[in-house]
Amino acid sequence: MLQLLLAGVAQGCVYALVALGFVLIYKATETVNFAQGDLMMLGGFFALTASVMLGWPYWATILFAVAAMAAVGMLIERVVLRPVLGQPAFTVVMITIGVGYVLRGVVTMIPGWGTDTYTFPTPFADGTFKFGEVIFAEQQVAVIVMTAALVAVLYVFFRYSKLGVAMQATSQNQLAAAYMGIPVRRVNMMIWGLSAGVAAFAGILLAPATFVHSNMGFIGLKAFPAAVVGGFGSVPGAIVGGLIIGLVEAFAGRYMPEGFKDIAAYVVVLAVLMIKPSGIFGETARKKV
Amino acid sequence: MRFLFKTGYAQDLRLFKHGGQVFWYGLLMVLLLAAPYAIGEYLTSQLQFICIYSIVGLGLMLLVGFTGQISLGHAAFLAIGAYTEALMQARGVPFFVSLPCAALLSAAMGWVLGLPALRLKGIYLAIATLAFNVIVEEILARWESLTNGNSGLNLKPIELFGMKLDGDAGFYYLCLGLAMLSILAVLNLLRSPTGRAFVAIRDSEISASCMGVNLANYKTMSFALSAALAGIAGALYAHKVTFISPEQFTLLQSIELVTIVILGGVGFVHGAVLGAAFLIVLPQLISLAKDYLPADVAGTGLQSVVFGLVLIVIIIFEPLGLYGRWLKLRTWFELFPFYRRGMFRRQKSYMKSERLR
């Protein structure tokens, strides 16, 4: 039981991180970034390059991958998304789908990456330790600890740094933020960078479990339910949603018939949407005519 | 430049606005009818695919382009149509019974999916349909006693009124006929009060309901009709590929179907057909181009890169899609030399929040 709980939380943390990327972008720009999973995949490949091909230590790998992905994220926002600013949300969603296609294809063309599957080495050995009755896999504990650390860092960033506050303002009301002298476009670009960085982090945490390959981004589709369950516009919602989906999957895999594990997340999301159409932590604002 | 002088309200409702349209569409029809004898087997088979995808595209256009609802789950309806057809054929049901059944079952599922859609909007609706797609796919893979799971089902050629449609031409005429019927049906629907209600919902739900449009009815109806068209297309698709399995109806397929609508031009019936044609032709062009590219680039990823780039470029530079491009071109010639660049520009738009509703 506790064992399942641990596995579920560890998996949920990864979902939560990807969902966090969705939510950051959605909150600021009302764009659902369908390429989030592919950004994660790209982050995984950057990390792979740094650690395996260049032989860098783990922490440097993380820094490199996150920084590189932040740059890629900002580039994507500047080149692709800014021209369609203000168009209907669905159009913009289609553009991010296009970005996803391009990223997935480009990765297979780069020499040394290609279509193969790679293992990603981590300093956390496959060792386990026992605490009471529960066996902790070091890998899982590392994922949980690092997610918690990242969430804490993000919290501090949003709460106390000037840029973080500006980002919050932008996501609440772009027009008002612009009036207050916040360069909304530049902030949007930074949010894309931040979100891509978070995606890279998620990719690194996920890599030991799923290996690195050009289609690992499809796990992003699992993070959708996470973001929706929590409410798309809510940062704590993303974390909670991710954990819920991770736990539901872990328990469904154990107690439900085979095959249910893969769709459990989607069943949950349908159920949540039926009861609360804007997610658990979603805002329910009404349009005034 | 042609000037249309309207002298009666009935003229507004005509399918063909003027003699020129009758001529050009008639010519297109003749060419399409003559096609299987002129262009060989391979191209005919591609034309069949275009017809089939046009039917799905029309369904999606009705839903996305005219009712303004988003669906990322149309591959599921395609799958329901395909499996219904395959299973009924295996039990000896004739085609002219099983095809309507495929459409009806699909429509029923569309209606069911439309129900939660009443409360959902924008991205939440997209996610709900996405979830529906994944669940249907998984059910098809797991319900082995009925669907034979991942090993899929085989189909025999269609028998219609004693004739066996196994040749390319016969099946092509069937696809073409059904595509034409769907186009006519959609066109007629759009000039009826129902179609007007759909468009009103797309433009503004609040004003539509103020005008007495029953949102719940029309939204579920739109879902059902759209799913029915996808079901018909699914049945044809099953016969076209003769082998169906769950992995043909994934989320990626759904996304491709939506790109038909986006590439063709949201809100134009022409767009559905153009988008479908484009979606079929593009892979052919890419495989032609592969011979001239270095081996590293011409891998499996090339198609996905080109596809993504086309999508991005079209959305950025031609938000009205292929049909919009054609409209602009035609207007340019019609008005030469008075065409202005801003003629099709939309009003300056600010970001419309979907959080408020």
Side-chain angles (χ1 to χ4, degrees):
Chain A
M1 188 70 189
L2 276 172
Q3 195 67 56
L4 274 178
L5 207 65
L6 184 71
V9 168
Q11 187 65 31
C13 280
V14 176
Y15 291 152
L17 283 180
V18 184
L20 194 63
F22 282 125
V23 168
L24 285 176
I25 289 183
Y26 180 77
K27 242 176 116 60
T29 60
E30 295 212 2
T31 304
V32 179
N33 178 17
F34 266 72
Q36 194 72 30
D38 302 298
L39 288 174
M40 187 187 80
M41 175 268 296
L42 200 59
F45 268 103
F46 276 130
L48 184 79
T49 313
S51 90
V52 177
M53 293 161 201
L54 304 175
W56 290 8
Y58 192 66
W59 59 269
T61 306
I62 293 182
L63 280 184
F64 169 72
V66 170
M69 282 313 296
V72 170
M74 290 200 249
L75 190 74
I76 290 176
E77 197 279 339
R78 183 66 197 87
V79 175
V80 180
L81 282 135
R82 201 170 291 178
V84 292
L85 194 71
Q87 288 202 13
F90 192 53
T91 323
V92 185
V93 167
M94 288 312 291
I95 257 196
T96 63
I97 289 178
V99 170
Y101 269 107
V102 172
L103 290 180
R104 231 174 293 140
V106 163
V107 161
T108 65
M109 289 182 188
I110 292 177
W113 290 5
T115 47
D116 301 335
T117 301
Y118 302 91
T119 47
F120 185 76
T122 50
F124 321 108
D126 296 329
T128 53
F129 57 87
K130 251 183 145 168
F131 189 82
E133 302 220 324
V134 191
I135 304 162
F136 288 85
E138 279 184 28
Q139 187 57 49
Q140 290 175 341
V141 176
V143 166
I144 295 171
V145 169
M146 282 161 82
T147 307
L150 181 73
V151 170
V153 168
L154 281 179
Y155 175 77
V156 171
F157 170 75
F158 275 119
R159 185 81 173 72
Y160 295 107
S161 82
K162 225 173 181 177
L163 183 60
V165 175
M167 281 181 181
Q168 283 196 48
T170 318
S171 72
Q172 278 171 14
N173 188 334
Q174 290 201 340
L175 208 54
Y179 288 153
M180 295 298 124
I182 294 170
V184 171
R185 293 187 173 163
R186 215 178 317 149
V187 168
N188 276 352
M189 189 159 109
M190 297 204 169
I191 286 176
W192 266 83
L194 181 65
S195 171
V198 172
F201 202 77
I204 293 171
L205 292 187
L206 188 68
T210 62
F211 306 115
V212 180
H213 54 92
S214 59
N215 282 337
M216 79 189 266
F218 287 126
I219 197 138
L221 296 176
K222 282 262 177 67
F224 266 125
V228 173
V229 166
F232 231 99
S234 150
V235 174
I239 308 290
V240 174
L243 292 180
I244 290 178
I245 297 292
L247 286 172
V248 165
E249 271 202 346
F251 281 94
R254 179 72 194 281
Y255 295 110
M256 295 289 206
E258 194 197 351
F260 199 79
K261 180 170 182 267
D262 297 326
I263 56 169
Y266 298 98
V267 175
V268 169
V269 86
L270 275 184
V272 167
L273 284 179
M274 294 268 200
I275 301 160
K276 215 163 174 311
S278 50
I280 296 174
F281 291 87
E283 351 161 28
T284 43
R286 290 252 154 223
K287 185 175 183 176
K288 296 184 186 75
V289 188
Chain B
M1 175 103 202
R2 186 189 300 273
F3 291 98
L4 282 178
F5 293 106
K6 290 184 181 159
T7 49
Y9 291 118
Q11 260 177 311
D12 272 336
L13 291 175
R14 265 187 211 158
L15 274 184
F16 295 106
K17 299 289 177 219
H18 50 77
Q21 283 189 339
V22 176
F23 174 73
W24 287 111
Y25 286 122
L27 188 67
L28 180 67
M29 200 64 226
V30 169
L31 285 180
L32 282 175
L33 284 175
Y37 301 102
I39 56 173
E41 248 174 54
Y42 179 71
L43 288 177
T44 313
S45 121
Q46 296 304 313
L47 274 182
Q48 291 167 356
F49 267 123
I50 293 180
C51 289
I52 295 170
Y53 276 84
S54 301
I55 300 177
V56 205
L58 275 170
L60 262 177
M61 192 60 87
L62 198 64
L63 189 68
V64 178
F66 291 108
T67 322
Q69 307 295 309
I70 300 170
S71 167
L72 287 177
H74 258 58
F77 297 125
L78 205 63
I80 291 168
Y83 270 91
T84 314
E85 174 66 25
L87 292 169
M88 292 188 89
Q89 197 199 28
R91 282 156 186 69
V93 181
F95 182 71
F96 63 90
V97 179
S98 62
L99 183 73
C101 283
L104 280 178
L105 188 65
S106 211
M109 292 303 288
W111 186 75
V112 170
L113 182 63
L115 288 180
L118 298 176
R119 297 187 65 189
L120 303 176
K121 244 193 123 175
I123 197 59
Y124 293 101
L125 180 57
I127 307 282
T129 51
L130 184 153
F132 172 75
N133 195 141
V134 175
I135 292 171
V136 167
E137 187 198 335
E138 195 65 27
I139 289 176
L140 289 178
R142 296 286 166 185
W143 195 353
E144 291 187 352
S145 56
L146 186 68
T147 63
N148 205 13
N150 280 320
S151 25
L153 290 172
N154 281 304
L155 285 98
K156 296 185 287 283
I158 301 174
E159 278 188 53
L160 203 57
F161 307 118
M163 285 187 300
K164 218 173 193 175
L165 294 183
D166 49 357
D168 278 315
F171 187 62
Y172 167 72
Y173 286 129
L174 179 70
C175 292
L176 185 65
L178 283 171
M180 290 301 139
L181 282 179
S182 325
I183 291 173
L184 276 180
V186 169
L187 283 176
N188 276 329
L189 183 76
L190 286 175
R191 50 186 197 155
S192 74
T194 315
R196 305 288 199 229
F198 286 167
V199 175
I201 291 175
R202 175 192 68 184
D203 291 343
S204 162
E205 289 193 5
I206 292 178
S207 43
S209 61
C210 289
M211 300 295 285
V213 173
N214 185 338
L215 292 184
N217 276 353
Y218 282 104
K219 275 193 194 172
T220 41
M221 194 195 295
S222 175
F223 260 98
L225 286 172
S226 172
L229 284 173
I232 293 174
L236 289 176
Y237 177 84
H239 279 294
K240 173 67 197 150
V241 298
T242 68
F243 170 75
I244 51 172
S245 66
E247 67 251 30
Q248 290 163 352
F249 305 105
T250 54
L251 194 58
L252 283 180
Q253 170 83 322
S254 280
I255 290 176
E256 263 183 33
L257 293 179
V258 175
T259 57
I260 290 183
V261 177
I262 302 284
L263 293 180
V266 179
F268 303 107
V269 173
H270 294 82
V273 181
L274 284 176
F278 190 79
L279 197 70
I280 301 297
V281 172
L282 187 67
Q284 313 286 336
L285 291 181
I286 293 173
S287 59
L288 280 182
K290 263 185 186 169
D291 300 341
Y292 303 98
L293 291 169
D296 259 350
V297 177
T300 45
L302 181 66
Q303 181 158 343
S304 127
V305 170
V306 174
F307 193 68
L309 281 180
V310 165
L311 199 59
I312 294 171
V313 166
I314 285 199
I315 292 176
I316 292 182
F317 294 106
E318 192 52 273
L320 294 178
L322 292 173
Y323 187 66
R325 174 48 52 192
W326 159 245
L327 272 184
K328 285 176 192 174
L329 206 67
R330 203 180 64 186
T331 315
W332 190 85
F333 278 109
E334 274 182 356
L335 295 184
F336 186 81
F338 299 117
Y339 183 82
R340 287 183 300 113
R341 285 192 64 189
M343 291 184 92
F344 283 87
R345 185 172 301 156
R346 325 167 176 203
Q347 288 174 315
K348 189 157 176 64
S349 58
Y350 295 94
M351 197 163 78
K352 272 189 243 161
S353 177
E354 282 192 357
R355 285 179 208 156
L356 306 169
R357 49 177 163 150

